[in-house]
Amino acid sequence: MPSAVTPQRRGRDSGTEDQADGDSAESSSDRISSRSSKKSRLNLNGDASSSQRPLLSHGYLSQINAHHGKDFAQSGTTVSGYQPGSIVRVKLANFVTYTAVEFFPGPSLNMVIGPNGTGKSTLVCAICLGMGWGPKHLGRAKEVSEFVKHGCQEATIAIELQGRPEQRNPVLRCVIKRDGNQSIYYINDKPSPRKDVIDLAKSFAIQIDNLCQFLPQDKVVEFAAMTPVELLWSTQRAVAPQEMLDWHKELKVLRTNQRTVQAQNLQDVETLTNLEGRQRTQEADVERMREREAIKENLEKLVLAGPIVQFRETRAKHTEMKERRSKAQNSLQELQKEVEPSLRAVNAKQYYRDQIKQLVAERKRLIETTDKRADTYAKKVNNFQDRIQEVEAEKENEKKGSKANISEVRRLDQVITGLKKQLEQQPIEFDVSTYNENIRAKEREVRECRGKGGELQQNRSDLDRQGVERNQRIERGRRDLENLESQAGRQYEKLVRDNADTAKAWDWIQQHQGEFEKPVYGPPMLECSVKDPKYVDLVEATLGGTDFTAFTVQTSNDMRTLHQQLYNVLNLGRITIRTVLGTLESFPPPVSREDLRRYGLEGWVLDHIAGPDAVLAMLCESSNLHRTGIAMQDTTPQQFDVLQNSPIPRWVTRKNFYRINRRREYGASAFSTNVSEVRPARVWTDQPVDTTAKRDLQVRIDDWTEETRIIRAEIEDIGRQLLGLKNKVAELEEEKRVLQEEKEAKQKAVNAFKAIPTRIAQHEEKLNSHNKLLATIRDRLQALDDKQDDLTLEKARAALAYASVVETLQKAHDEAYEAELMLIEATSDFEVLSGRESEVKQQLETRQREVKEIIVATTQLNTQARELMAECQKINEGLDDATRGYLGELAGRMTPEDLQSEIESEKARLDLMHEGNGGVIREYEERQKKIDALKTRLQGIEVALEEFNANIKMVRDKWEPRLDKLVKRISASFAFNMKQISCAGEVSVHKDEEYDQWAIQIQVKFRENEPLTVLDSHRQSGGERAVSTIFYLMSLQSLTRSPFRVVDEINQGMDPRNERLVHARMVSIATGNDEQQFQLEGEENDANDEENGNKHRSMGGGSQYFLITPKLLHGLRYERGMRVLCIASGEYMPKDYTCVDFRGCVETKRKLMATAR
């Protein structure tokens, strides 16, 4: 039996793959490393230099050549039975698991067998990569450099393909370099781009990227997950000519474009309908708007013609007014000559009247002056009268004051008489000392009560403090009791026992954390813990005594603050304070973890302690935890020697703690080793609860509770006593108040009797004062009488002067009346003369007024004409000749009144029409353009759709019959194969309106009483799907256009029965020894098959087939046409694999078995 062999190897290296599709092809020599000490260079084509020998011995090659029936050349081999493109030879070096191997597959079915891990799938990888495809088609590694064998720098793949008749067999070679992740390709030893290698493979219809032809182990799941649509495409690629694929592609493209055009057509039709509907809706509005625009345009022209019409009329009026002005001026001059004598007489009388008017005015002014003098004297008389009345009022006030003083004198006389009578009576008896003694007695009693109350209050305060202290003790006792039950509490109890001062300091720090700049951490025995209890002895061995109880501060100021408080204020001793200014990251280990493990250590002591980073940094600084190794196993002498010369200065094991002390001044070799024994841990340990301490603590809590109860009873008794004292003090204070009021009343009466003489003297003094005041009032009254007499005399003098002025005023009034009479006479004469000439004068004034009005009107018309002329010139500048002519014609035939009437008429018409949307006409015209464009485009779309329909029908008429015929043959073969295992199957095409949804539909039936059902992952089991899949692939065997097919471990998951049946069918089909050949009724082989040279492949036979499986059953069918490739690889292979003769081994076994029978 033919076989493939591999050289010796030391266990399997995991092969990983892939390189990007853009691998560059570089020219380089083929380098393959062997396991020999000489590292001889091998040539994959079998050639060797004078100092080298070929991979296969001449004897082994002769065996292969003899099997093929002719000489096997190193290049361009031609072997009978191989179809063009079939694999004749595969040679590998340093590829995945192989150091060197060479395969010689047969032209038909090739079964590659061998235990798991020997490299069966490696052959599949080599076929894929050697023909230019990338690792992505294998589903394994991503980089192609991962396929190079471990420890080697490059791998080589050589594949010889069967050439076409009369052509040399092409040899494809791929060199994979680990450095740079490169793949270099050769065709017949000539460097070639990867694309040329793929093109050469495709020229033989090799499709590595088609799962129907090439199904690696890691792609079986992907093949099973292929959708029916994908399966149809892959089936066509595998068995249909390229033109059918092109037709299918063309149909999908045509249909996609047709859908796009149809969608565009529907959208355009809908848009056109919408636009036309909107046009119809707006037609009436547009016509109305156009009519309105015409009216508006005419109105604008009429408005423009207004200034022109007015100018013409104004100019005519101005000419006419100039003529009227000339005539009026001449008429005025003639009239003035006629009335001149009459006017002179009237003017003389008017002058006389004016003189009389002046005289009347002067005499009126004299009257006004005299009247003012009379007013002045009248005011003086009134003033004197007012002053006399004021003096009279003062006299009345003095008289009233004297009456009040007289009443006060009488009252004082009565008071003095009453006081003298009281003085004659006996005074009341009053002993002030008795009253004072009684009051002081009451005050003494109050002080005594208050003193007793103060003592009781002090006693109660003392008892309150004792109660609070007992409650605090009880609370602390309960917390201590709870702490005895917890790990943290037990650690704190340890700290109290070992270092009470540190415990007190930690209590203070916890209550005053806010006084520090950064957090202050407590002792590590409280803040830290050992992650794994089995390492606690080792960890504690590396720490000193103060390491467990040291406080950690993070700033210098916090260090000074804490030192001052603990040492100077609290007076505590045995306190350790350490400052850490750096972070934990500033303490790196001296070696990496990989180096640490090579020294035989598991890790660092720092790795096994959990706690705040600042505390761990403090421990690293003080005890070098980051540089202290740790291991549960004891250090061997060899490890100890290595560690002595390593950068690790300290390490601890299960029994000992090692410290290396170096003296740099004496050189690198000067060091000493200190070894101490690891003792049991005492700090970070889980100890049981101390029942004695717990019992003592509970007794103390009970005693404090009883003391608290007694103190509370005493406080209540003191409260009752204080209440009684308070009530007694209130009674004494009331008695004291009554005594003081009685004392004050008697004291007041005694003082009043003693003050009677003084009061008599005071009242007599007041009486004298009032008598004196009465005498003064009489003197003031006499002075006021004298003053009143003087004022009366002055008033009489002012009255006489007033009478004289009044007489002068009367005389002035008489003279004024006389002048006014003269004015009346002169005015009457003037009016008589004026009346005689009034008609003439009125006519003259009328003529003068007319002349003025004509002059003003002429000036206004001239100004208006000039303004209108400038406005007309401005209007004409922006108009064309036609408009100017039209405006001139309007001005020639219309007056301003006619023009205004026409304008009002047009405005009325404009107002009657709704203004609407100003842009409706523009919108209407733009929409019409869109409608015309859409109609033109729809005509083009209709033509395009007709072309699409014609093209789709033409391509479908060519593609669909051939696809149906092809699938019918596949279905017949598939049904036949399923029938051989007492099952049923059918393959059909699912046809859809969308050509990218056409799909292969596989229906199977594995039980007699069930209908055909579609193959999917829900209805059939894994083994049934595997059988269906392999039978479908086998159904393609006789139709395939590819020269070879690869299936890797497709039989996995099948039960033994199905595997035997499938294997038998596979052998029958692949070797062409099927006893039940069949031919479809009325069906002949396709002409294209004959043209492509596929006449050889009928239902019994086909292309080269590779079946890779590690699973072997006894009694499997074997035919002469198949070849079994046994993978022999492992530790017991000889270095020179060519000396192994597997054929001889088989023959020897057969002889032994024959002898045994």
Side-chain angles (χ1 to χ4, degrees):
M1 181 180 295
S3 62
V5 297
T6 64
Q8 178 184 3
R9 63 184 183 123
R10 296 178 181 268
R12 180 174 182 182
D13 299 321
S14 61
T16 55
E17 303 146 31
D18 197 51
Q19 179 183 9
D21 291 344
D23 295 336
S24 61
E26 299 180 2
S27 175
S28 64
S29 61
D30 186 10
R31 300 178 180 271
I32 303 175
S33 301
S34 68
R35 291 185 177 272
S36 64
S37 59
K38 295 180 180 180
K39 299 181 180 179
S40 58
R41 299 169 58 86
L42 306 176
N43 188 292
L44 286 180
N45 290 327
D47 299 331
S49 62
S50 59
S51 62
Q52 297 170 340
R53 60 180 179 81
L55 283 172
L56 296 181
S57 64
H58 293 290
Y60 185 74
L61 289 175
S62 63
Q63 294 178 11
I64 299 299
N65 292 337
H67 174 76
H68 284 297
K70 56 168 69 181
D71 295 336
F72 187 86
Q74 295 299 320
S75 180
T77 305
T78 302
V79 183
S80 61
Y82 289 88
Q83 298 180 20
S86 299
I87 298 176
V88 177
R89 179 171 59 102
V90 179
K91 189 173 183 180
L92 310 175
N94 298 327
F95 185 77
V96 190
T97 60
Y98 296 114
T99 301
V101 69
E102 192 166 13
F103 296 90
F104 294 89
S108 183
L109 178 61
N110 292 276
M111 291 190 65
V112 182
I113 62 175
N116 285 327
T118 54
K120 299 182 300 300
S121 298
T122 303
L123 173 61
V124 179
C125 298
I127 294 173
C128 175
L129 299 178
M131 292 191 179
W133 274 269
K136 67 180 180 179
H137 301 291
L138 298 171
R140 291 193 171 188
K142 295 182 179 179
E143 303 294 336
V144 72
S145 60
E146 298 180 30
F147 288 89
V148 180
K149 186 177 181 180
H150 182 68
C152 300
Q153 294 302 314
E154 64 180 32
T156 305
I157 304 170
I159 301 175
E160 180 179 352
L161 301 178
Q162 176 64 43
R164 294 183 175 84
E166 307 301 330
Q167 288 184 357
R168 175 187 179 185
N169 286 359
V171 177
L172 308 178
R173 185 156 56 92
C174 173
V175 178
I176 303 173
K177 293 183 177 295
R178 186 184 297 276
D179 295 338
N181 191 35
Q182 296 181 357
S183 295
I184 303 171
Y185 293 93
Y186 299 84
I187 299 177
N188 293 331
D189 289 335
K190 291 181 180 180
S192 302
R194 176 170 169 267
K195 182 177 179 300
D196 291 351
V197 176
I198 295 177
D199 291 343
L200 177 62
K202 287 184 176 179
S203 67
F204 289 105
I206 297 174
Q207 301 173 5
I208 298 298
D209 56 347
N210 188 352
L211 296 181
C212 288
Q213 176 189 344
F214 191 84
L215 187 60
Q217 177 182 352
D218 296 296
K219 290 287 185 175
V220 172
V221 176
E222 183 178 334
F223 179 81
M226 285 177 63
T227 64
V229 174
E230 294 171 340
L231 184 59
L232 174 61
W233 182 252
S234 297
T235 300
Q236 289 185 94
R237 290 186 61 199
V239 300
Q242 183 62 35
E243 59 186 10
M244 288 187 65
L245 291 171
D246 296 339
W247 291 337
H248 193 186
K249 286 182 182 177
E250 186 176 0
L251 283 172
K252 290 192 284 188
V253 172
L254 287 172
R255 177 55 185 157
T256 300
N257 295 336
Q258 185 187 40
R259 283 201 311 272
T260 303
V261 174
Q262 287 175 341
Q264 184 63 45
N265 183 51
L266 291 175
Q267 183 179 355
D268 289 349
V269 169
E270 182 179 356
T271 303
L272 178 60
T273 303
N274 185 24
L275 291 177
E276 288 179 341
R278 292 172 65 185
Q279 286 295 86
R280 288 191 296 271
T281 302
Q282 290 186 344
E283 280 180 357
D285 294 338
V286 170
E287 289 299 326
R288 186 171 59 255
M289 290 301 297
R290 285 176 177 171
E291 183 180 355
R292 192 176 191 280
E293 289 295 327
I295 295 173
K296 190 175 180 181
E297 183 179 355
N298 187 40
L299 179 61
E300 291 174 354
K301 290 181 180 179
L302 291 173
V303 172
L304 288 175
I308 300 174
V309 174
Q310 290 180 1
F311 171 71
R312 291 193 176 186
E313 184 176 7
T314 303
R315 185 174 60 183
K317 288 180 179 180
H318 180 262
T319 303
E320 180 182 356
M321 193 60 66
K322 285 172 65 178
E323 295 176 356
R324 288 180 60 193
R325 180 185 65 184
S326 179
K327 292 178 180 180
Q329 288 175 345
N330 293 333
S331 176
L332 177 62
Q333 291 175 359
E334 293 176 357
L335 182 61
Q336 286 176 345
K337 291 178 181 180
E338 292 178 359
V339 299
E340 185 176 357
S342 300
L343 290 176
R344 279 198 301 268
V346 173
N347 291 336
K349 184 56 71 176
Q350 183 178 4
Y351 176 75
Y352 174 73
R353 185 197 62 179
D354 293 340
Q355 293 295 322
I356 297 300
K357 281 184 177 180
Q358 292 179 2
L359 178 62
V360 171
E362 289 177 358
R363 292 184 177 181
K364 285 184 177 181
R365 284 195 296 272
L366 179 62
I367 291 173
E368 291 177 357
T369 303
T370 306
D371 189 49
K372 288 181 180 179
R373 289 176 61 198
D375 290 339
T376 300
Y377 284 112
K379 288 180 180 179
K380 286 184 178 181
V381 172
N382 293 332
N383 186 25
F384 283 125
Q385 181 64 35
D386 293 337
R387 291 174 65 184
I388 291 171
Q389 291 177 354
E390 289 176 359
V391 171
E392 187 67 29
E394 289 180 4
K395 288 171 64 179
E396 291 295 329
N397 291 333
E398 290 292 342
K399 290 177 180 180
K400 290 180 181 179
S402 65
K403 291 180 179 179
N405 282 309
I406 292 172
S407 299
E408 182 65 19
V409 167
R410 293 172 181 173
R411 187 187 67 80
L412 289 173
D413 285 337
Q414 294 176 358
V415 170
I416 291 171
T417 302
L419 290 174
K420 288 180 178 180
K421 290 180 179 181
Q422 291 180 8
L423 188 61
E424 293 175 356
Q425 297 177 1
Q426 293 296 326
I428 61 173
E429 295 182 359
F430 173 64
D431 188 359
V432 65
S433 59
T434 303
Y435 277 100
N436 290 337
E437 182 62 28
N438 293 333
I439 290 172
R440 284 195 291 271
K442 298 297 180 182
E443 289 177 347
R444 283 194 298 273
E445 291 182 9
V446 169
R447 284 197 298 274
E448 290 175 358
C449 291
R450 287 178 176 172
K452 292 180 181 179
E455 292 176 358
L456 291 174
Q457 190 69 35
Q458 181 63 36
N459 292 337
R460 188 169 68 176
S461 298
D462 294 341
L463 290 173
D464 286 337
R465 285 194 296 273
Q466 293 176 13
V468 171
E469 182 183 357
R470 296 301 188 278
N471 288 329
Q472 291 176 349
R473 289 180 182 178
I474 293 170
E475 185 64 27
R476 284 197 299 271
R478 289 173 178 171
R479 286 200 303 268
D480 294 342
L481 195 62
E482 293 176 357
N483 289 336
L484 287 176
E485 303 292 338
S486 64
Q487 177 65 26
R490 290 196 291 271
Q491 291 297 106
Y492 181 79
E493 290 299 323
K494 290 180 186 178
L495 179 63
V496 173
R497 290 196 304 269
D498 296 345
N499 194 330
D501 286 351
T502 300
K504 292 178 182 178
W506 177 233
D507 291 339
W508 184 89
I509 290 171
Q510 287 178 305
Q511 298 172 4
H512 300 82
Q513 279 286 359
E515 299 178 10
F516 299 99
E517 295 177 352
K518 290 186 177 182
V520 175
Y521 294 98
M525 67 183 299
L526 301 179
E527 298 281 4
C528 301
S529 62
V530 179
K531 297 178 181 178
D532 191 343
K534 70 179 181 181
Y535 290 96
V536 66
D537 296 343
L538 285 68
V539 172
E540 287 195 15
T542 63
L543 299 174
T546 58
D547 290 338
F548 294 104
T549 59
F551 293 101
T552 304
V553 297
Q554 302 182 68
T555 66
S556 301
N557 292 335
D558 289 349
M559 176 67 178
R560 287 192 290 271
T561 301
L562 188 60
H563 187 279
Q564 172 70 17
Q565 183 66 33
L566 299 185
Y567 288 101
N568 299 336
V569 178
L570 299 179
N571 295 320
L572 299 177
R574 295 181 64 196
I575 301 295
T576 303
I577 306 174
R578 293 175 182 171
T579 304
V580 176
L581 302 178
T583 61
L584 186 59
E585 288 73 15
S586 59
F587 297 95
V591 298
S592 64
R593 292 190 179 277
E594 291 75 11
D595 294 339
L596 186 70
R597 293 188 183 93
R598 283 199 291 271
Y599 290 130
L601 300 176
E602 299 174 5
W604 305 104
V605 173
L606 181 61
D607 300 336
H608 296 277
I609 300 181
D613 288 351
V615 178
L616 298 180
M618 181 272 291
L619 294 176
C620 290
E621 185 174 3
S622 63
S623 298
N624 290 317
L625 298 187
H626 63 295
R627 304 178 68 220
T628 304
I630 189 170
M632 291 300 295
Q633 301 296 328
D634 292 334
T635 303
T636 63
Q638 294 80 4
Q639 291 175 341
F640 181 80
D641 293 339
V642 174
L643 285 169
Q644 275 187 324
N645 298 310
S646 71
I648 303 173
R650 300 148 56 97
W651 72 92
V652 60
T653 64
R654 184 168 54 87
K655 293 182 179 180
N656 298 315
F657 178 33
Y658 301 86
R659 282 164 288 188
I660 306 299
N661 301 317
R662 302 184 185 278
R663 300 291 298 274
R664 295 183 179 179
E665 59 270 22
Y666 298 119
S669 60
F671 61 84
S672 62
T673 304
N674 183 10
V675 182
S676 59
E677 183 181 359
V678 174
R679 297 179 180 179
R682 64 177 185 85
V683 176
W684 289 311
T685 57
D686 294 331
Q687 297 179 351
V689 178
D690 188 349
T691 56
T692 301
K694 181 178 179 181
R695 184 169 57 256
D696 293 342
L697 186 58
Q698 186 62 51
V699 170
R700 289 199 298 272
I701 292 173
D702 295 340
D703 293 341
W704 292 331
T705 304
E706 179 62 23
E707 291 175 2
T708 302
R709 188 188 63 77
I710 295 172
I711 290 170
R712 190 179 297 110
E714 293 178 359
I715 290 173
E716 292 176 354
D717 182 60
I718 290 174
R720 288 190 294 272
Q721 296 180 33
L722 285 173
L723 182 60
L725 289 174
K726 182 179 179 181
N727 295 332
K728 185 176 181 181
V729 167
E731 293 175 357
L732 292 172
E733 288 288 348
E734 179 64 20
E735 293 175 358
K736 174 185 172 184
R737 185 186 64 78
V738 171
L739 288 173
Q740 284 180 339
E741 289 179 354
E742 185 178 351
K743 171 190 171 184
E744 289 173 356
K746 291 184 177 183
Q747 183 74 42
K748 185 176 180 181
V750 171
N751 292 335
F753 182 81
K754 292 180 179 180
I756 288 175
T758 304
R759 292 177 63 190
I760 292 173
Q762 290 175 350
H763 284 86
E764 288 178 348
E765 184 178 356
K766 286 183 180 180
L767 180 62
N768 293 332
S769 175
H770 281 288
N771 289 329
K772 291 178 181 180
L773 183 61
L774 288 174
T776 303
I777 290 172
R778 284 192 294 269
D779 292 340
R780 285 202 299 271
L781 287 173
Q782 184 61 42
L784 289 172
D785 289 337
D786 295 340
K787 184 177 180 181
Q788 188 176 15
D789 294 339
D790 293 339
L791 290 173
T792 302
L793 181 60
E794 291 294 330
K795 175 183 175 184
R797 291 173 182 170
L800 293 173
Y802 176 71
S804 177
V805 173
V806 169
E807 184 180 358
T808 302
L809 180 62
Q810 183 65 39
K811 183 178 180 180
H813 275 290
D814 293 339
E815 291 176 352
Y817 291 151
E818 182 181 357
E820 287 179 352
L821 289 174
M822 293 173 64
L823 178 61
I824 292 170
E825 291 177 356
T827 302
S828 177
D829 293 340
F830 174 73
E831 289 177 353
V832 169
L833 291 175
S834 297
R836 294 174 183 175
E837 299 295 332
S838 61
E839 183 178 352
V840 175
K841 188 176 180 180
Q842 184 177 3
Q843 186 178 1
L844 181 62
E845 290 177 354
T846 303
R847 293 287 177 85
Q848 289 176 345
R849 188 169 56 254
E850 288 178 355
V851 170
K852 288 182 181 179
E853 290 176 354
I854 291 172
I855 292 172
V856 171
T858 303
T859 304
Q860 291 177 350
L861 287 172
N862 186 30
T863 303
Q864 186 177 0
R866 290 180 182 277
E867 292 176 353
L868 289 172
M869 184 174 66
E871 187 175 354
C872 291
Q873 290 175 351
K874 187 176 180 181
I875 291 172
N876 286 331
E877 290 176 357
L879 300 177
D880 53 20
D881 295 339
T883 306
R884 289 195 195 99
Y886 177 74
L887 295 180
E889 186 268 333
L890 283 177
R893 64 181 175 85
M894 282 190 175
T895 63
E897 292 75 12
D898 296 338
L899 180 64
Q900 185 62 33
S901 176
E902 186 68 20
I903 289 174
E904 294 298 332
S905 176
E906 292 296 314
K907 283 184 177 179
R909 291 179 61 194
L910 192 63
D911 292 338
L912 289 175
M913 301 181 68
H914 180 66
E915 182 177 0
N917 186 0
V920 68
I921 297 177
R922 183 176 63 258
E923 181 182 349
Y924 181 85
E925 292 173 350
E926 292 177 355
R927 189 183 299 114
Q928 187 61 44
K929 292 178 182 179
K930 292 181 180 179
I931 290 173
D932 297 338
L934 280 175
K935 288 181 178 179
T936 303
R937 188 163 67 185
L938 284 173
Q939 293 175 359
I941 289 176
E942 290 178 1
V943 174
L945 288 176
E946 291 176 359
E947 292 179 358
F948 277 126
N949 292 332
N951 292 335
I952 289 174
K953 184 177 184 304
M954 179 183 66
V955 178
R956 180 170 179 172
D957 290 344
K958 292 187 294 184
W959 175 67
E960 185 177 14
R962 295 186 62 176
L963 178 64
D964 291 340
K965 185 176 181 181
L966 182 65
V967 174
K968 189 175 182 180
R969 294 180 63 186
I970 295 172
S971 178
S973 179
F974 181 73
F976 181 78
N977 291 333
M978 293 292 288
K979 184 178 180 180
Q980 304 310 306
I981 61 171
S982 301
C983 299
E986 180 182 282
V987 181
S988 61
V989 179
H990 169 72
K991 299 180 181 181
D992 193 272
E993 183 180 357
E994 306 299 333
Y995 293 100
D996 55 0
Q997 296 301 316
W998 282 46
I1000 285 290
Q1001 183 172 286
I1002 302 176
Q1003 293 180 297
V1004 294
K1005 181 177 75 170
F1006 286 91
R1007 281 161 285 278
E1008 183 176 358
N1009 296 326
E1010 68 179 11
L1012 287 171
T1013 56
V1014 177
L1015 180 66
D1016 57 28
S1017 59
H1018 304 290
R1019 294 185 178 91
Q1020 290 80 23
S1021 65
E1024 290 172 346
R1025 292 198 303 274
V1027 170
S1028 303
T1029 300
I1030 191 62
F1031 275 170
Y1032 182 78
L1033 293 177
M1034 290 163 55
S1035 301
L1036 305 180
Q1037 181 72 4
S1038 61
L1039 303 173
T1040 182
R1041 301 171 59 251
S1042 178
F1044 68 86
R1045 298 171 68 199
V1046 176
V1047 179
D1048 190 358
E1049 298 192 13
I1050 191 64
N1051 58 334
Q1052 296 301 306
M1054 295 185 188
D1055 56 61
R1057 173 183 176 277
N1058 286 336
E1059 185 175 357
R1060 289 183 183 278
L1061 295 173
V1062 170
H1063 177 76
R1065 289 298 306 148
M1066 187 181 300
V1067 171
S1068 298
I1069 294 172
T1071 59
N1073 294 324
D1074 192 355
E1075 296 178 356
Q1076 298 185 15
Q1077 300 292 327
F1078 67 96
Q1079 183 77 19
L1080 296 176
E1081 295 182 4
E1083 182 181 355
E1084 298 179 356
N1085 290 335
D1086 193 284
N1088 273 341
D1089 291 342
E1090 297 177 2
E1091 293 175 2
N1092 292 330
N1094 292 331
K1095 193 172 183 179
H1096 166 74
R1097 284 173 258 159
S1098 62
M1099 294 301 292
S1103 60
Q1104 189 179 37
Y1105 206 99
F1106 289 88
L1107 177 63
I1108 291 92
T1109 177
K1111 184 177 178 183
L1112 294 176
L1113 296 175
H1114 296 289
L1116 293 178
R1117 181 177 175 182
Y1118 174 77
E1119 296 288 346
R1120 284 292 177 184
M1122 61 186 292
R1123 180 171 297 180
V1124 181
L1125 301 177
C1126 300
I1127 304 296
S1129 176
E1131 299 180 0
Y1132 301 104
M1133 287 295 296
K1135 292 183 179 180
D1136 185 4
Y1137 67 88
T1138 59
C1139 65
V1140 179
D1141 185 1
F1142 284 99
R1143 183 178 295 277
C1145 293
V1146 173
E1147 293 297 336
T1148 301
K1149 181 178 179 181
R1150 286 177 177 173
K1151 292 178 181 179
L1152 291 174
M1153 291 177 65
T1155 304
R1157 292 192 187 98

